[in-house]
């Protein structure tokens, strides 16, 4: 199931042989497997036949940045990234075994995320661009969140969606009206280090009950965009939010702003998967 050339190159990069392979499902972008090496170690391997090393090296940088923040989150160690001669990109990381949540797992997760969000920079963005899913994500530094949100988050995705006719031109006009209101909608806060793609498919509890997060799209952003996204597909446990707010309370009115932040992931989903996501974008943006 793992393409032969990926297997060979992974073995070469790690200087170890792959002894056993078990497929892993659940990823929305890449193919993945659990591999056991000849020294007994298990690793998580993902690869993509249409994306080269670039996308995975950005993921590696993101995971390293999250790890270097030294929070209570479990972040997989990256062992190798690369690309085969035929252009198949791959990433090998620590295999984290899924466990059962402990009674305090969700609250410890909330506290750990708040700790991560306490890592600040003076501007919004990052030293390098990266990816959200398989789509490019620009991280050009901006002094204020409104400009960053429009220029680096909404506009590129909106253009992609209208160019591909997933959204009609009339939606652009609705966004233009919303842009004028953004300075009153968003609170003034320092840029926080965020995971950038935190939904229920990008975390689980490990065997110790700690939250493991992976597949990030990191940057320094307004932390509310991260929390808004956690609510988009069903939400996280209530103890998670209570614990988060006990460490780093949100400013009042977050629930009213939530949908505005979620225009970004909804546009990304429109571009990646089409379907009803464009409809959700339209129904939110029409309200402004
Ligand atoms: P994709 O990039 O395709 O979205 P993910 O990185 O989200 O793929 O991984 C797909 C699935 O593999 C996840 O939903 C999760 O269940 C599992 N997974 C991800 N990283 C690890 C890891 N380091 N160890 C064990 N399982 C993992």
């Amino acid at each position: 199931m793992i393409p032969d050339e990926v297997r060979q190159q992974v073995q070469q990069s790690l200087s170890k042989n792959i002894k056993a392979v078990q497929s892993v499902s659940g990823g929305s972008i890449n193919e993945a497997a659990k591999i056991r090496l000849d020294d007994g170690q298990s690793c998580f391997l993902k690869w993509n036949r249409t994306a080269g090393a670039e996308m995975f090296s950005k993921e590696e940088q993101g995971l390293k940045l999250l790890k270097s923040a030294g929070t209570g989150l479990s972040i997989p160690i990256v062992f190798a990234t690369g690309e085969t001669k035929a252009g198949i990109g791959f990433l090998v990381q620590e295999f984290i075994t899924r466990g059962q949540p402990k009674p305090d797992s969700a609250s410890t997760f909330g506290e750990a995320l708040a700790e991560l969000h306490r890592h600040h920079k003076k501007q919004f963005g990052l030293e390098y661009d990266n990816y959200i899913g398989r789509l490019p994500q620009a991280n050009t530094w901006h002094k204020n969140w409104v400009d960053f949100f429009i220029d680096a988050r909404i506009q590129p995705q909106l253009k992609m969606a209208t160019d591909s006719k997933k959204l009609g031109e009339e939606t652009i006009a609705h966004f233009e009206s919303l842009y004028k209101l953004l300075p009153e909608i968003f609170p003034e806060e320092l840029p926080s280090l965020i995971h950038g793609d935190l939904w229920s498919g990008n975390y689980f509890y490990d065997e110790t009950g700690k939250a493991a997060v992976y597949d990030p799209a990191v940057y320094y952003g307004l932390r509310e965009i991260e929390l808004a996204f956690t609510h988009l597909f069903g939400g996280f446990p209530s103890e998670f939010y209570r614990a988060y707010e006990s460490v780093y309370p949100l400013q009042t009115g977050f629930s009213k702003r939530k949908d505005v932040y979620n225009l970004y992931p909804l546009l990304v989903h429109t571009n990646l998967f089409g379907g009803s996501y464009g409809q959700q974008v339209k129904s939110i943006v029409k309200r402004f």
Side-chain angles (χ1 to χ4, degrees), residues 24-32 34 43-44 46-48 55-56 59 75-77 93-98 133 197 199-204 212-216:
V24 172
S25 60
S28 41
I29 306 295
N30 303 294
E31 296 177 79
K34 176 181 183 179
C43 294
F44 179 74
K46 57 185 197 175
W47 68 95
N48 191 308
M55 186 176 84
F56 290 116
E59 184 167 340
I75 316 282
I77 301 164
Q93 54 182 265
E94 177 187 358
F95 186 87
I96 300 183
T97 304
R98 202 181 273 263
D197 198 6
W199 66 291
S200 56
N202 278 346
Y203 85 90
F204 58 68
V213 304
Y214 43 83
D215 201 14

Side-chain angles (χ1 to χ4, degrees), residues 37-106:
L37 304 173
D38 52 13
D39 62 357
Q41 190 187 9
S42 288
C43 294
F44 179 74
L45 165 67
K46 57 185 197 175
W47 68 95
N48 191 308
R49 293 168 205 268
T50 55
E54 157 82 4
M55 186 176 84
F56 290 116
S57 80
K58 293 299 167 72
E59 184 167 340
E60 172 178 18
Q61 281 178 280
L63 288 167
K64 286 183 171 163
L65 181 57
L66 292 177
K67 207 166 186 60
S68 72
T71 63
L73 297 166
S74 168
I75 316 282
I77 301 164
V78 177
F79 299 125
T81 54
E83 180 178 325
T84 67
K85 283 205 185 76
I88 307 178
F90 65 85
L91 180 149
V92 188
Q93 54 182 265
E94 177 187 358
F95 186 87
I96 300 183
T97 304
R98 202 181 273 263
Q100 285 301 317
K102 304 253 182 319
D104 64 350
S105 286

Side-chain angles (χ1 to χ4, degrees), residues 145 149 154 175 178 182 185-186 224-234 253-268 277 279-288:
W145 172 254
F149 187 71
I154 299 296
F175 270 98
L178 170 66
L182 290 180
I185 292 175
F186 291 138
E224 288 191 346
I225 195 171
E226 181 114 289
L227 289 161
F229 190 38
T230 66
H231 285 279
L232 189 60
F233 305 123
F254 166 68
S255 58
K256 290 203 196 102
R257 298 187 285 273
K258 215 167 53 185
D259 288 352
V260 179
Y261 294 109
N262 280 337
L263 284 167
Y264 176 56
L266 285 170
L267 279 169
V268 170
Y277 295 113
Q279 217 40 55
Q280 292 187 56
V281 168
K282 282 195 269 186
S283 79
I284 295 173
V285 81
K286 253 196 247 166
R287 307 202 305 249
F288 298 94

